[in-house]
Amino acid sequence: MKKRICLIHTGGTIGMVKGENGYLPKEGYLENVLETISDLKSPEMPDFDFYEMSPLLDSSNMAVDDWNRIGEEIAKRYNSYDGFVILHGTDTMAYTAAALSFMLENSNKPVILTGSQIPLCEIRSDGVDNIITSLLIAGSGRINEVCLYFGGRLLRGNRATKMSADGLLAFDSPNCPRLAEAGITIRYLPYTKPEIDTDKEFSLCKLENVPIGVLKVFPGISFPIFDKLMTEKLKGIVLETFGAGNIPGEGDSLLPIIKKAFSAGSLITVCSQCPQGTVSLGAYATSSPLKEAGAISGYDMTTEAAVAKLYYLFSKGYSTSEIKALMEENLRSELTK
Ligand code: ASP
């Protein structure tokens, strides 16, 4: 039997048109364009319904409420479809993919985010293949998690990151093997599917707009300048460190700030500025202070996944110590210890 997929349009370059000040989304436009793509009507394609969200957004403008709106659209239709393809802007697609991987609890259906670097209204648009292949993958019955498909690569959603601002192979997941590669054929690579507790029903966990910050260290960073940020208002901080979790100054100037942050109830998660590899707190004298101060190791999580996970765990209402422990646990295949 043919699979039935719901194609949800949230905005992004794929459906944009040229405006006076650059590309912008246009309501009611994309459905007509899709009508002109004859491959979408091929008998090999799964059946699909198109749904356009309103307002359509450049994904740079997306925030937690928009992730909730997308989650709600999926949840409403969860039992009526075999899978979902989400058309989305590339700028924050990896954040949304990571967020949905946490929000869609006990989901065992494919949710594939895709978009394009070149709008469908222009020649050479990469949007045609991205939509067609995403629909084929969603209808294949081979995938049961939140993924991102782009430029021939199927990536685990919470492992993906945008690697190129203008290349057509815009995304990759340097810390997680690709789940499939689409060349002449779609080749599904062997991988461990996320474990799903079949006794539990699918549910949507909406996220709260908890105040979260991301701080990238750089040579010469003056930590005291950031002191004022560390109030009880800031619940979670993702610290993007050098290499395996190292910070300048052997922690001398950062330590008091971390201590202040902890006493104010903020959790500091250490991620690496390197796209590939893992944080290993204590491996160097330049990361030991973070370990001693009780910072959380983000291991090989992307910043996108760490941010989404913080939102998720705070929204679940866990205590600070529970969140601290769960941040270091593998919940949705988002990290390798
Ligand atoms: N600014 C656009 C967006 O993220 C970029 C894109 O879709 O490629 O919505």
Side-chain angles (χ1 to χ4, degrees), residues 11-14 16 57-61 88-93 115-118 150 162 165:
T13 294
I14 195 159
M16 286 190 183
L57 292 174
D58 185 305
S59 76
S60 308
N61 286 326
H88 194 288
T90 60
D91 287 341
T92 66
M93 193 186 289
S116 71
Q117 291 278 61
I118 306 175
F150 213 93
K162 187 172 178 182

Side-chain angles (χ1 to χ4, degrees), residues 216-234:
K216 180 169 182 162
V217 304
F218 56 90
I221 185 169
S222 168
F223 287 114
I225 291 179
F226 298 98
D227 191 53
K228 289 204 174 53
L229 287 176
M230 305 296 167
T231 65
E232 69 292 342
K233 286 202 186 114
L234 196 56

Side-chain angles (χ1 to χ4, degrees), residues 20 37 51 91 93 110 203 220 234 267 276 299 308 316 329:
E20 258 171 45
I37 302 175
Y51 174 73
D91 287 341
M93 193 186 289
S203 63
L234 196 56
L267 294 175
Q276 201 268 317
Y299 294 99
K316 294 288 284 179
E329 289 303 318

Side-chain angles (χ1 to χ4, degrees), residues 87-249:
L87 301 178
H88 194 288
T90 60
D91 287 341
T92 66
M93 193 186 289
Y95 285 92
T96 305
L100 289 175
S101 79
F102 294 110
M103 295 163 67
L104 304 176
E105 297 183 310
N106 306 306
S107 164
N108 62 1
K109 296 195 177 179
V111 175
I112 303 187
L113 286 93
T114 195
S116 71
Q117 291 278 61
I118 306 175
L120 283 170
C121 68
E122 303 287 1
I123 58 167
R124 294 188 55 246
S125 174
D126 49 332
V128 178
D129 172 65
N130 285 346
I131 293 191
I132 290 175
T133 308
S134 296
L135 284 167
L136 287 171
I137 293 171
S140 70
R142 308 280 296 257
I143 297 292
N144 69 343
E145 60 181 296
V146 177
C147 296
L148 190 155
Y149 175 80
F150 213 93
R153 298 169 178 170
L154 183 71
L155 310 170
R156 178 161 280 151
N158 54 30
R159 295 294 202 140
T161 192
K162 187 172 178 182
M163 309 285 286
S164 173
D166 53 12
L168 301 185
L169 306 182
F171 289 87
D172 214 340
S173 57
N175 283 327
C176 179
R178 296 172 194 156
L179 308 188
E181 285 174 357
I184 291 178
T185 57
I186 302 174
R187 203 159 56 93
Y188 292 89
L189 305 167
Y191 80 102
T192 320
K193 290 193 177 184
E195 274 172 38
I196 286 142
D197 189 342
T198 43
D199 292 342
K200 289 194 181 151
E201 292 223 330
F202 163 79
S203 63
L204 172 70
C205 170
K206 293 218 271 172
L207 301 188
E208 279 167 33
N209 202 359
V210 183
I212 280 169
V214 177
L215 177 60
K216 180 169 182 162
V217 304
F218 56 90
I221 185 169
S222 168
F223 287 114
I225 291 179
F226 298 98
D227 191 53
K228 289 204 174 53
L229 287 176
M230 305 296 167
T231 65
E232 69 292 342
K233 286 202 186 114
L234 196 56
K235 295 283 177 216
I237 300 154
V238 177
L239 190 66
E240 273 198 14
T241 58
F242 303 131
N246 305 318
I247 52 168

